[in-house]
Amino acid sequence: QVQLVESGGGSVQAGGSLRLSCAVSGYAASNEYVGWFRQAPGKEREGVASIYTGGRRTYYSDSVKGRFTISQDNAKNAVYLLMNSLKVEDTAMYYCAASSYESSWYPGSSLRPGYWGQGTQVTVSL
């Protein structure tokens, strides 16, 4: 059974940093994409960043490029999202997800990830 478990969310002031972790289990993730989505109240779920578990290829949405960094530790079956220079508009529930397609993270994509975590809240205040 596939499980994705997020941790590391919390509250931070604008300009601060947080690191999210996603523990992946029960999943043959050697050739898949794992990453993060977020959803703010009243908004659609947005693909934020993904990483190819079989290499180093990464994807970032325009809204986080240059501020967020996704990484992985294959020995620990974990994926991380380091979020720097956080803005109030980054406030959302963040979900870890796994998909066979990087395009699952692209804006407007109809290719939904097959696996999701339960989410972790990130709140950024002034």
Side-chain angles (χ1 to χ4, degrees):
Q1 184 175 353
V2 176
Q3 279 194 315
L4 303 172
V5 180
E6 304 98 331
S7 61
S11 297
V12 65
Q13 287 190 321
S17 299
L18 281 174
R19 190 179 82 152
L20 305 183
S21 299
C22 176
V24 182
S25 62
Y27 182 66
S30 60
N31 291 291
E32 302 288 344
Y33 296 88
V34 179
W36 300 86
F37 285 74
R38 68 185 181 186
Q39 188 166 21
K43 294 189 176 181
E44 292 188 358
R45 194 167 292 192
E46 171 193 16
V48 174
S50 68
I51 189 164
Y52 177 55
T53 59
R56 295 186 177 182
R57 180 179 173 86
T58 58
Y59 164 82
Y60 296 95
S61 67
D62 288 342
S63 60
V64 307
K65 200 172 294 182
R67 299 188 298 122
F68 290 11
T69 303
I70 191 169
S71 61
Q72 62 183 331
D73 185 335
N74 289 335
K76 296 183 178 180
N77 288 332
V79 173
Y80 307 101
L81 186 68
L82 177 61
M83 305 184 293
N84 292 325
S85 302
L86 281 163
K87 304 176 181 179
V88 172
E89 51 264 43
D90 294 318
T91 296
M93 185 72 78
Y94 283 71
Y95 298 90
C96 183
S99 172
S100 298
Y101 308 98
E102 182 186 87
S103 56
S104 292
W105 276 261
Y106 296 174
S109 175
S110 61
L111 289 171
R112 302 288 289 175
Y115 304 100
W116 295 90
Q118 82 287 352
T120 186
Q121 178 68 37
V122 171
T123 302
V124 184
S125 59
L126 291 173

